Amino acid sequence: SPELAMKRMLSAGGTAIYQVTRSFRQGEAGPLHNPEFTILEWYKTGDDMRAGMQLLSDFASTLLDTDAADTMEYEAAFNEHASINPRSASLDELRTRAADAGYESATDASRDDCLEFIFSEFVSPQLGASRPVIVYHFPASQAALAKLSADRPQCAERFELFYRGIELANGYHELTDSKEWQQRAIIANRERARRNREVIPEASAFISAMEHGLPASSGTAVG
């Protein structure tokens, strides 16, 4: 992915940058995922989550020749299309819901495993039937490289674009705190080790760039 290299460019003074290139994902293949694919990625300094969502909406409506994108909070999308609350439901309730939908590993699945499966089975296929939809405020546990909301710390300032049931883009109000990222990497690596997956480097040129000073920005990747 071009993400970490482009963020190093932001740290070096870039203000509004984009790239169209090839991206690779190990172990991801299926009807909607290829191990190698074309990606468009952009970053704009000074933008928060709302500004990032607006730019993505403008891009999508122009490219797809539709009205502006609708917006929907993650929790509301779950309640409407999966009939379960992703924040208040217990792990046992989520595992049961996922198992009923055919998740073979639901018995030992983590909370996020269940949420991702339920979202893909019940929520995502219903989004964007007539015009794009941007879902935002994902759970803090799924923040990746997004900031947590100052007003709602249980939510990440992460957003995704859906059209006709398919996720087309993923965006963040970018995390700029290197210490917080390193703590997230430790937690993520515990989970990756549990799944026998390759761990994330906890020291890198990207971390050095964050320590040097990554400016406030929003970024989006379109696959």
Side-chain angles (χ1 to χ4, degrees):
S1 170
E3 178 176 9
L4 301 188
M6 292 183 73
K7 287 179 178 177
R8 289 167 63 190
M9 293 175 68
L10 292 180
S11 181
T15 58
I17 59 176
Y18 73 92
Q19 183 174 185
V20 180
T21 186
R22 305 298 286 172
S23 194
F24 303 86
R25 294 289 185 271
Q26 184 176 4
E28 293 186 21
L32 299 178
H33 294 87
N34 288 327
E36 178 183 355
F37 56 97
T38 300
I39 191 169
L40 162 64
E41 190 151 338
W42 68 71
Y43 295 89
K44 190 167 184 294
T45 59
D47 279 5
D48 59 11
M49 181 182 70
R50 294 289 179 178
M53 290 168 60
Q54 184 62 57
L55 178 56
L56 179 57
S57 174
D58 294 343
F59 172 83
S61 62
T62 299
L63 190 69
L64 301 170
D65 193 23
T66 66
D67 292 336
D70 286 325
T71 59
M72 177 178 283
E73 286 199 308
Y74 177 94
E75 186 174 325
F78 244 90
N79 285 328
E80 180 174 340
H81 298 298
S83 301
I84 191 168
N85 188 294
R87 186 159 56 90
S88 62
S90 68
L91 178 56
D92 284 342
E93 289 173 325
L94 292 173
R95 284 173 171 170
T96 298
R97 188 79 165 95
D100 290 345
Y103 189 15
E104 295 179 357
S105 304
T107 303
D108 299 319
S110 69
R111 187 176 191 87
D112 279 325
D113 287 338
C114 292
L115 290 175
E116 289 173 5
F117 181 84
I118 294 169
F119 192 96
S120 68
E121 290 294 310
F122 295 102
V123 183
S124 178
Q126 306 303 317
L127 298 175
S130 59
R131 64 178 180 176
V133 173
I134 297 175
V135 177
Y136 65 100
H137 273 162
F138 279 70
S141 58
Q142 298 178 24
L145 288 175
K147 285 180 176 287
L148 299 185
S149 171
D151 299 327
R152 301 174 62 184
Q154 74 275 18
C155 295
E157 296 201 328
R158 173 182 177 182
F159 50 95
E160 292 187 347
L161 173 74
F162 295 84
Y163 186 54
R164 296 181 179 174
I166 299 174
E167 178 207 336
L168 298 179
N170 183 35
Y172 308 143
H173 183 199
E174 300 295 343
L175 177 68
T176 57
D177 186 333
S178 62
K179 290 184 172 59
E180 183 175 344
W181 161 239
Q182 288 173 311
Q183 288 300 312
R184 291 186 190 182
I186 291 170
I187 294 170
N189 280 337
R190 289 174 187 159
E191 178 62 18
R192 294 175 75 88
R194 185 182 72 84
R195 299 183 180 188
N196 295 317
R197 297 177 64 183
E198 186 177 355
V199 299
I200 302 167
E202 293 173 17
S204 65
F206 169 61
I207 294 296
S208 298
M210 291 186 77
E211 292 172 343
H212 175 72
L214 184 64
S217 60
S218 177
T220 299
V222 183

mmCIF file of all heavy atoms in Angstrom, residues 123-154:
data_model
loop_
_atom_site.group_PDB
_atom_site.id
_atom_site.type_symbol
_atom_site.label_atom_id
_atom_site.label_comp_id
_atom_site.label_asym_id
_atom_site.label_seq_id
_atom_site.Cartn_x
_atom_site.Cartn_y
_atom_site.Cartn_z
ATOM 1 N N VAL A 123 -25.179 -5.731 6.437
ATOM 2 C CA VAL A 123 -25.195 -4.268 6.290
ATOM 3 C C VAL A 123 -24.717 -3.833 4.915
ATOM 4 O O VAL A 123 -25.442 -3.171 4.158
ATOM 5 C CB VAL A 123 -24.354 -3.601 7.396
ATOM 6 C CG1 VAL A 123 -24.447 -2.072 7.267
ATOM 7 C CG2 VAL A 123 -24.827 -4.051 8.775
ATOM 8 N N SER A 124 -23.501 -4.193 4.576
ATOM 9 C CA SER A 124 -22.892 -3.751 3.326
ATOM 10 C C SER A 124 -23.768 -3.997 2.095
ATOM 11 O O SER A 124 -23.921 -3.091 1.259
ATOM 12 C CB SER A 124 -21.526 -4.416 3.152
ATOM 13 O OG SER A 124 -20.936 -4.040 1.930
ATOM 14 N N PRO A 125 -24.391 -5.186 1.927
ATOM 15 C CA PRO A 125 -25.190 -5.428 0.709
ATOM 16 C C PRO A 125 -26.382 -4.496 0.553
ATOM 17 O O PRO A 125 -26.915 -4.352 -0.550
ATOM 18 C CB PRO A 125 -25.655 -6.882 0.872
ATOM 19 C CG PRO A 125 -24.644 -7.508 1.788
ATOM 20 C CD PRO A 125 -24.276 -6.414 2.742
ATOM 21 N N GLN A 126 -26.792 -3.834 1.647
ATOM 22 C CA GLN A 126 -27.975 -2.964 1.597
ATOM 23 C C GLN A 126 -27.635 -1.495 1.356
ATOM 24 O O GLN A 126 -28.535 -0.660 1.236
ATOM 25 C CB GLN A 126 -28.753 -3.070 2.927
ATOM 26 C CG GLN A 126 -29.121 -4.486 3.334
ATOM 27 C CD GLN A 126 -29.932 -5.197 2.279
ATOM 28 O OE1 GLN A 126 -30.852 -4.613 1.686
ATOM 29 N NE2 GLN A 126 -29.611 -6.461 2.022
ATOM 30 N N LEU A 127 -26.346 -1.182 1.270
ATOM 31 C CA LEU A 127 -25.937 0.226 1.221
ATOM 32 C C LEU A 127 -25.745 0.729 -0.206
ATOM 33 O O LEU A 127 -25.168 0.047 -1.042
ATOM 34 C CB LEU A 127 -24.624 0.401 1.994
ATOM 35 C CG LEU A 127 -24.672 0.056 3.483
ATOM 36 C CD1 LEU A 127 -23.278 0.163 4.091
ATOM 37 C CD2 LEU A 127 -25.655 0.946 4.227
ATOM 38 N N GLY A 128 -26.240 1.936 -0.455
ATOM 39 C CA GLY A 128 -25.958 2.623 -1.709
ATOM 40 C C GLY A 128 -26.724 2.106 -2.911
ATOM 41 O O GLY A 128 -26.192 2.118 -4.018
ATOM 42 N N ALA A 129 -27.957 1.694 -2.726
ATOM 43 C CA ALA A 129 -28.726 1.134 -3.844
ATOM 44 C C ALA A 129 -28.922 2.149 -4.967
ATOM 45 O O ALA A 129 -28.809 1.813 -6.148
ATOM 46 C CB ALA A 129 -30.080 0.632 -3.346
ATOM 47 N N SER A 130 -29.203 3.411 -4.618
ATOM 48 C CA SER A 130 -29.483 4.416 -5.646
ATOM 49 C C SER A 130 -28.416 5.495 -5.746
ATOM 50 O O SER A 130 -28.225 6.099 -6.803
ATOM 51 C CB SER A 130 -30.844 5.076 -5.370
ATOM 52 O OG SER A 130 -30.849 5.685 -4.087
ATOM 53 N N ARG A 131 -27.720 5.756 -4.636
ATOM 54 C CA ARG A 131 -26.623 6.718 -4.650
ATOM 55 C C ARG A 131 -25.634 6.323 -3.561
ATOM 56 O O ARG A 131 -25.967 5.552 -2.658
ATOM 57 C CB ARG A 131 -27.120 8.137 -4.440
ATOM 58 C CG ARG A 131 -27.771 8.437 -3.096
ATOM 59 C CD ARG A 131 -28.170 9.906 -3.054
ATOM 60 N NE ARG A 131 -28.803 10.278 -1.802
ATOM 61 C CZ ARG A 131 -29.170 11.522 -1.513
ATOM 62 N NH1 ARG A 131 -28.969 12.492 -2.395
ATOM 63 N NH2 ARG A 131 -29.740 11.798 -0.369
ATOM 64 N N PRO A 132 -24.408 6.810 -3.624
ATOM 65 C CA PRO A 132 -23.386 6.377 -2.653
ATOM 66 C C PRO A 132 -23.786 6.689 -1.218
ATOM 67 O O PRO A 132 -24.535 7.637 -0.944
ATOM 68 C CB PRO A 132 -22.153 7.177 -3.069
ATOM 69 C CG PRO A 132 -22.397 7.595 -4.477
ATOM 70 C CD PRO A 132 -23.875 7.768 -4.614
ATOM 71 N N VAL A 133 -23.274 5.890 -0.305
ATOM 72 C CA VAL A 133 -23.460 6.087 1.130
ATOM 73 C C VAL A 133 -22.088 6.070 1.801
ATOM 74 O O VAL A 133 -21.270 5.188 1.519
ATOM 75 C CB VAL A 133 -24.345 4.989 1.752
ATOM 76 C CG1 VAL A 133 -24.387 5.122 3.276
ATOM 77 C CG2 VAL A 133 -25.750 5.047 1.195
ATOM 78 N N ILE A 134 -21.847 7.032 2.677
ATOM 79 C CA ILE A 134 -20.620 7.051 3.467
ATOM 80 C C ILE A 134 -20.975 6.695 4.906
ATOM 81 O O ILE A 134 -21.766 7.387 5.557
ATOM 82 C CB ILE A 134 -19.926 8.424 3.414
ATOM 83 C CG1 ILE A 134 -19.500 8.739 1.975
ATOM 84 C CG2 ILE A 134 -18.707 8.445 4.339
ATOM 85 C CD1 ILE A 134 -18.905 10.125 1.801
ATOM 86 N N VAL A 135 -20.428 5.586 5.381
ATOM 87 C CA VAL A 135 -20.606 5.147 6.765
ATOM 88 C C VAL A 135 -19.423 5.663 7.582
ATOM 89 O O VAL A 135 -18.264 5.538 7.147
ATOM 90 C CB VAL A 135 -20.692 3.608 6.846
ATOM 91 C CG1 VAL A 135 -20.804 3.144 8.301
ATOM 92 C CG2 VAL A 135 -21.884 3.095 6.037
ATOM 93 N N TYR A 136 -19.697 6.242 8.763
ATOM 94 C CA TYR A 136 -18.623 6.832 9.552
ATOM 95 C C TYR A 136 -18.794 6.497 11.033
ATOM 96 O O TYR A 136 -19.795 5.916 11.432
ATOM 97 C CB TYR A 136 -18.574 8.353 9.354
ATOM 98 C CG TYR A 136 -19.786 9.097 9.874
ATOM 99 C CD1 TYR A 136 -19.747 9.753 11.097
ATOM 100 C CD2 TYR A 136 -20.980 9.135 9.147
ATOM 101 C CE1 TYR A 136 -20.855 10.441 11.585
ATOM 102 C CE2 TYR A 136 -22.082 9.824 9.622
ATOM 103 C CZ TYR A 136 -22.022 10.471 10.836
ATOM 104 O OH TYR A 136 -23.127 11.137 11.316
ATOM 105 N N HIS A 137 -17.802 6.863 11.833
ATOM 106 C CA HIS A 137 -17.751 6.561 13.261
ATOM 107 C C HIS A 137 -17.732 5.063 13.509
ATOM 108 O O HIS A 137 -18.580 4.511 14.212
ATOM 109 C CB HIS A 137 -18.911 7.232 14.013
ATOM 110 C CG HIS A 137 -18.602 8.633 14.436
ATOM 111 N ND1 HIS A 137 -19.573 9.539 14.800
ATOM 112 C CD2 HIS A 137 -17.414 9.297 14.546
ATOM 113 C CE1 HIS A 137 -19.015 10.693 15.116
ATOM 114 N NE2 HIS A 137 -17.702 10.572 14.961
ATOM 115 N N PHE A 138 -16.720 4.397 12.938
ATOM 116 C CA PHE A 138 -16.507 2.982 13.196
ATOM 117 C C PHE A 138 -16.072 2.789 14.653
ATOM 118 O O PHE A 138 -15.614 3.732 15.305
ATOM 119 C CB PHE A 138 -15.437 2.445 12.247
ATOM 120 C CG PHE A 138 -15.952 2.120 10.873
ATOM 121 C CD1 PHE A 138 -16.343 3.137 9.998
ATOM 122 C CD2 PHE A 138 -16.084 0.812 10.457
ATOM 123 C CE1 PHE A 138 -16.825 2.847 8.733
ATOM 124 C CE2 PHE A 138 -16.568 0.504 9.196
ATOM 125 C CZ PHE A 138 -16.947 1.520 8.333
ATOM 126 N N PRO A 139 -16.187 1.568 15.179
ATOM 127 C CA PRO A 139 -15.740 1.334 16.561
ATOM 128 C C PRO A 139 -14.272 1.690 16.748
ATOM 129 O O PRO A 139 -13.459 1.529 15.832
ATOM 130 C CB PRO A 139 -15.970 -0.175 16.748
ATOM 131 C CG PRO A 139 -16.995 -0.552 15.738
ATOM 132 C CD PRO A 139 -16.758 0.353 14.565
ATOM 133 N N ALA A 140 -13.926 2.145 17.950
ATOM 134 C CA ALA A 140 -12.542 2.518 18.241
ATOM 135 C C ALA A 140 -11.586 1.353 18.015
ATOM 136 O O ALA A 140 -10.434 1.551 17.629
ATOM 137 C CB ALA A 140 -12.434 3.016 19.679
ATOM 138 N N SER A 141 -12.071 0.129 18.229
ATOM 139 C CA SER A 141 -11.235 -1.058 18.027
ATOM 140 C C SER A 141 -10.908 -1.292 16.568
ATOM 141 O O SER A 141 -10.019 -2.087 16.244
ATOM 142 C CB SER A 141 -11.932 -2.295 18.597
ATOM 143 O OG SER A 141 -13.199 -2.470 17.985
ATOM 144 N N GLN A 142 -11.608 -0.606 15.661
ATOM 145 C CA GLN A 142 -11.358 -0.727 14.223
ATOM 146 C C GLN A 142 -10.796 0.576 13.654
ATOM 147 O O GLN A 142 -10.933 0.858 12.476
ATOM 148 C CB GLN A 142 -12.649 -1.110 13.491
ATOM 149 C CG GLN A 142 -13.218 -2.454 13.909
ATOM 150 C CD GLN A 142 -14.513 -2.791 13.207
ATOM 151 O OE1 GLN A 142 -14.802 -2.292 12.118
ATOM 152 N NE2 GLN A 142 -15.326 -3.639 13.822
ATOM 153 N N ALA A 143 -10.126 1.348 14.502
ATOM 154 C CA ALA A 143 -9.642 2.671 14.091
ATOM 155 C C ALA A 143 -8.523 2.586 13.062
ATOM 156 O O ALA A 143 -8.388 3.476 12.225
ATOM 157 C CB ALA A 143 -9.162 3.455 15.303
ATOM 158 N N ALA A 144 -7.688 1.525 13.130
ATOM 159 C CA ALA A 144 -6.511 1.422 12.253
ATOM 160 C C ALA A 144 -5.645 2.667 12.451
ATOM 161 O O ALA A 144 -5.139 2.899 13.535
ATOM 162 C CB ALA A 144 -6.918 1.213 10.809
ATOM 163 N N LEU A 145 -5.504 3.522 11.422
ATOM 164 C CA LEU A 145 -4.677 4.727 11.548
ATOM 165 C C LEU A 145 -5.522 5.997 11.609
ATOM 166 O O LEU A 145 -5.083 7.066 11.183
ATOM 167 C CB LEU A 145 -3.678 4.798 10.396
ATOM 168 C CG LEU A 145 -2.536 3.781 10.471
ATOM 169 C CD1 LEU A 145 -1.657 3.851 9.228
ATOM 170 C CD2 LEU A 145 -1.690 4.005 11.714
ATOM 171 N N ALA A 146 -6.749 5.867 12.142
ATOM 172 C CA ALA A 146 -7.622 7.030 12.306
ATOM 173 C C ALA A 146 -7.573 7.538 13.747
ATOM 174 O O ALA A 146 -7.331 6.782 14.685
ATOM 175 C CB ALA A 146 -9.055 6.654 11.941
ATOM 176 N N LYS A 147 -7.828 8.827 13.919
ATOM 177 C CA LYS A 147 -7.981 9.408 15.245
ATOM 178 C C LYS A 147 -9.252 8.855 15.910
ATOM 179 O O LYS A 147 -10.196 8.450 15.229
ATOM 180 C CB LYS A 147 -8.135 10.929 15.153
ATOM 181 C CG LYS A 147 -6.874 11.708 14.850
ATOM 182 C CD LYS A 147 -7.203 13.193 14.785
ATOM 183 C CE LYS A 147 -5.955 14.045 14.586
ATOM 184 N NZ LYS A 147 -5.140 14.115 15.812
ATOM 185 N N LEU A 148 -9.282 8.880 17.224
ATOM 186 C CA LEU A 148 -10.516 8.629 17.947
ATOM 187 C C LEU A 148 -11.263 9.945 18.090
ATOM 188 O O LEU A 148 -10.659 11.017 18.164
ATOM 189 C CB LEU A 148 -10.240 8.030 19.322
ATOM 190 C CG LEU A 148 -9.506 6.680 19.342
ATOM 191 C CD1 LEU A 148 -9.406 6.162 20.773
ATOM 192 C CD2 LEU A 148 -10.195 5.662 18.452
ATOM 193 N N SER A 149 -12.587 9.874 18.119
ATOM 194 C CA SER A 149 -13.406 11.073 18.235
ATOM 195 C C SER A 149 -13.209 11.717 19.601
ATOM 196 O O SER A 149 -13.267 11.040 20.628
ATOM 197 C CB SER A 149 -14.884 10.714 18.031
ATOM 198 O OG SER A 149 -15.713 11.813 18.344
ATOM 199 N N ALA A 150 -12.994 13.022 19.618
ATOM 200 C CA ALA A 150 -12.831 13.739 20.884
ATOM 201 C C ALA A 150 -14.120 13.728 21.692
ATOM 202 O O ALA A 150 -14.093 13.668 22.923
ATOM 203 C CB ALA A 150 -12.389 15.176 20.612
ATOM 204 N N ASP A 151 -15.265 13.788 21.010
ATOM 205 C CA ASP A 151 -16.555 13.814 21.690
ATOM 206 C C ASP A 151 -17.076 12.412 22.000
ATOM 207 O O ASP A 151 -17.844 12.231 22.946
ATOM 208 C CB ASP A 151 -17.590 14.551 20.825
ATOM 209 C CG ASP A 151 -17.207 15.996 20.569
ATOM 210 O OD1 ASP A 151 -16.589 16.604 21.466
ATOM 211 O OD2 ASP A 151 -17.512 16.501 19.479
ATOM 212 N N ARG A 152 -16.669 11.438 21.188
ATOM 213 C CA ARG A 152 -17.146 10.066 21.360
ATOM 214 C C ARG A 152 -15.956 9.123 21.251
ATOM 215 O O ARG A 152 -15.724 8.529 20.201
ATOM 216 C CB ARG A 152 -18.213 9.742 20.307
ATOM 217 C CG ARG A 152 -19.420 10.667 20.375
ATOM 218 C CD ARG A 152 -20.381 10.401 19.227
ATOM 219 N NE ARG A 152 -20.912 9.044 19.286
ATOM 220 C CZ ARG A 152 -21.716 8.520 18.363
ATOM 221 N NH1 ARG A 152 -22.059 9.237 17.307
ATOM 222 N NH2 ARG A 152 -22.168 7.298 18.478
ATOM 223 N N PRO A 153 -15.181 8.990 22.344
ATOM 224 C CA PRO A 153 -13.934 8.212 22.285
ATOM 225 C C PRO A 153 -14.140 6.734 21.975
ATOM 226 O O PRO A 153 -13.174 6.037 21.654
ATOM 227 C CB PRO A 153 -13.329 8.407 23.677
ATOM 228 C CG PRO A 153 -14.456 8.857 24.542
ATOM 229 C CD PRO A 153 -15.376 9.624 23.666
ATOM 230 N N GLN A 154 -15.388 6.252 22.030
ATOM 231 C CA GLN A 154 -15.647 4.869 21.633
ATOM 232 C C GLN A 154 -15.715 4.728 20.122
ATOM 233 O O GLN A 154 -15.820 3.605 19.608
ATOM 234 C CB GLN A 154 -16.955 4.360 22.259
ATOM 235 C CG GLN A 154 -18.240 4.892 21.648
ATOM 236 C CD GLN A 154 -18.690 6.239 22.220
ATOM 237 O OE1 GLN A 154 -17.897 6.943 22.839
ATOM 238 N NE2 GLN A 154 -19.950 6.558 22.034
#
